[in-house]
Amino acid sequence: MFKKIFKYCCKPFVRFWHWYKNLFHGRPWYVKLLAGFVSLLVLFIVWLGMVDINFLWLFGKSPGYMSGLEPQISQASEIYSADGKLIGKFFNENRTPVKYDEVNPSFWKALIDTEDERYYDRPRGYAIDFWGMLAAAKDAVLHHDARGASTITQQLAKNMYKMRSNNSTGLLGNIPGLKMLIVKTKEWIIATKLETIYNKEEILTMYANTVDFGSNAFGIKTACKTYFNTTPKELPTEQSAVLVGMLKATTTYNPITHYENSLKRRNVVLANMVRKDHLKQAEYDSISKLPIKLEFSVETNYDGEAQYFREAISDYLSDWCNDNGYDLYNSGLKIYTTIDTRMQKYAEEAAIKQMRQVQRNFDSHWGNNQPWVDERGKVIPDFIDGIVERLPIYKHLQEKFPNDPDSVLYYLHKPHMVKLFDYEKGTIEREMSTIDSVKYMVKFMHCAFVAMEPQTGHVKAWVGDIDFNSWKYDKVTAMRQPGSTFKLFVYTEAMNQGLTPCDKRRDELISLDVWDKQKGKEVTWRPGNANGYFTGDSMPLRAAFAKSINSVAVRLGQEMGIKRIIETAHKMGIESPLDDAPSLALGASDVNLLEMVNAYCTIADDGRHHKPVLVTSILDKDGKEVYIGPSNYEQAIPYKSAFLMQEMLKGGLTQPGGTSQSLWGYVGNAPDCEWGGKTGTSNNHSDAWFMGVSPKLVVGAWVGGEYRCIHFRTGALGQGSRTALPICGYFLEALLKDPAFKHYHARFPKPKDADITPDMYDCNNYYNYEPNDSLLNDSLFDEQEIMLDENGNPIEIPIELDEEDGGAPVQEHNINLEDL
């Protein structure tokens, strides 16, 4: 049965074979020659068809005919500021496409004269230069400097589609010699498709945008910037010739690494232009004698402005890119952000100016002593070793010397050239061991700053630390204890529950029985005030908040309920988990600066909460808008509560003893702008904060050590009003002097609701405290949260390194405070 079917199927082939043989049998030689030629032509066409359709999966995948309409190339995504400046890029291949008329014509002439001199002579649809192939074969046989046989369109096909991978050559690609034949065949097919779809100028443009010029410069625009710091439009003839000359071999003819080769190749390109009448002989004689003038600068992902902010953009858009099928580093997006480069400049200058002074104070304060100490002031043993053991070099040495710890220690202590940070010179190099370099770098104090518009949530300035090249970790999103700045939520919840700034609470000792998980029993917690004593007086909440009285805040926390305070904080913008414990009223739970600034914006915008916005819109590579930043908001707290808290914050500057009064030294020359503020300092002065609030702008700053065990030992140097407040102050001073930001000058409006009366918030100023020169500075108390045990002694806070978190600093209380 099967034999019959096989014979039946083979009959047409047998008949065809007999017919084909008869074409040659007994025929004249010219008939045989013609039949052979036609046979080869038919076989060639069949071969092309089989390769193109991947017949029986033998030849690998090929792009379909219409896929050439949208060539898939990696394009850099560009990041723009709110004031229209390009501040950076995301890219794997640094490429920014240009249009044909954006390139100097001399480049096109040099390119065609050198790479494909018959480019315009071939009709549209003809991508193969057969004369060029014959000439290349002749040169190869005669051992001349062989020219390339590929046309520009063929080179474009090779650049656009990776034809030499295993997926593109199929099963037959494993046969030696056949793989190259399949690759060249596909290049011919794709090139022909491109010629039928695009005109000559479009093909040239795509080629110039896809070609690799070396040094991570992809495309003509990036190459012009990298090698000559110019644009394709302004590219002179001699520089065009250098770039075209590199196309033969980007390494061999690179002007950076092989200057003489590049110079000779440039002149060859210029000679080609003379031969094709695109350059006069006199011009050649003049230009060919010129040296190659370079302004070389390789662009990286870290180049540009606002580096910490740009890294935050990457995280901000990560989920959106995954959900919508975009690659931030390849999709050629135009990302329009909220940052203002002028405000960013003011912020960075303010941070450096203040932190330079903070560092001087810190170095003078500790002298030759090691600043990594525990709660008893003792140097933490093996602290530096713990950091070193998390470094890549340590792991590398362990792998190299697995059973030889002495060799590991030898190389860790061996001096070598290392890059370090210096306030005066930026990045410096010194001969120093790995151990000593860690000791040097760990002694630096760090900072973060954010400015945000409360009506939109737009982030206008973002400083993640003092130097991005030295510390990539962004302190804006670092988790640290907020200290007294967290009292905002305690008092806001009090306003929610009907209290007003003029209601009073007594400043007196409060004792709470709390559960200590570590000891497994109840202990007595007696939080103290920063000045070490209680006045015993009944004071308005406005004064207690302005002076940051701990006893009143803790009492309010118990009255209002910690769970309610947590709920309010989350509604206002805090996203971090908060501990349900009495100490939360004094800022015992970690938060980050971004969410704190965002939460303070809720007060400034009359109780409306806008999530932080970093990006306003995104265009794809074709200019289509594919993303619009959020503009929605929620009424997080009642308007009345927000208005009363605005008055409370203003009290930080206007109330006697207010901890934010020194801000007047920076904003006092702008009487048409009204400000409120709140300082914060955590235990042991590990974290110093300041939050500044106005109707149109909210600012926040944090200052502290990289590790919480590195800090000032006195409030006179380490409190928020001393370290963090001046960063905001310097920024605001510069901003308010700039006429371009006149729109930020504003005063808080009068109450909109008739049920809000002056007697609720306009209290007689309360003033009752005794100066203490060790704690008092310009009428500002050091507001470190002091906690007392059952015997009235301060509770210290030990510092430990959490090994599971890569050695990130964590802070644990001797007692774990739980709600009653």
Side-chain angles (χ1 to χ4, degrees), residues 675-820:
W675 287 89
K678 187 73 191 78
T679 58
T681 312
S682 65
N683 284 284
N684 289 348
H685 317 98
S686 295
D687 304 287
W689 298 70
F690 176 73
M691 312 298 297
V693 178
S694 76
K696 299 295 184 181
L697 191 68
V698 173
V699 297
W702 167 88
V703 173
E706 183 84 12
Y707 299 89
R708 298 191 204 199
C709 60
I710 298 177
H711 51 75
F712 287 102
R713 290 171 290 186
T714 67
L717 293 173
Q719 60 184 307
S721 61
R722 273 287 195 175
T723 57
L725 185 150
I727 295 178
C728 297
Y730 288 131
F731 169 79
L732 294 174
E733 185 176 36
L735 185 77
L736 298 177
K737 289 180 180 178
D738 192 335
F741 300 104
K742 196 70 175 177
H743 55 283
Y744 288 130
H745 292 236
R747 300 182 66 84
F748 288 103
K750 294 181 179 180
K752 301 174 184 178
D753 292 353
D755 62 339
I756 302 177
T757 57
D759 62 298
M760 295 180 177
Y761 58 87
D762 189 9
C763 323
N764 292 326
N765 287 336
Y766 176 86
Y767 189 88
N768 183 8
Y769 66 110
E770 297 180 9
N772 183 326
D773 57 8
S774 67
L775 295 169
L776 193 61
N777 171 58
D778 297 333
S779 299
L780 305 178
F781 282 125
D782 167 13
E783 53 166 18
Q784 175 191 4
E785 319 323 351
I786 297 177
M787 301 181 183
L788 306 178
D789 62 18
E790 57 268 30
N791 299 317
N793 299 316
I795 296 176
E796 302 289 357
I797 300 178
I799 311 297
E800 295 182 5
L801 293 178
D802 183 0
E803 294 182 355
E804 292 184 358
D805 195 29
V810 296
Q811 193 170 42
E812 295 183 1
H813 295 274
N814 280 341
I815 59 172
N816 293 298
L817 304 173
E818 297 291 325
D819 199 1
L820 295 176

Side-chain angles (χ1 to χ4, degrees), residues 524-552:
T524 301
W525 178 52
R526 298 185 180 93
N529 286 332
N531 56 6
Y533 64 89
F534 306 98
T535 64
D537 293 339
S538 180
M539 63 175 64
L541 297 184
R542 179 183 173 112
F545 183 75
K547 294 174 59 179
S548 204
I549 303 300
N550 292 338
S551 61
V552 174

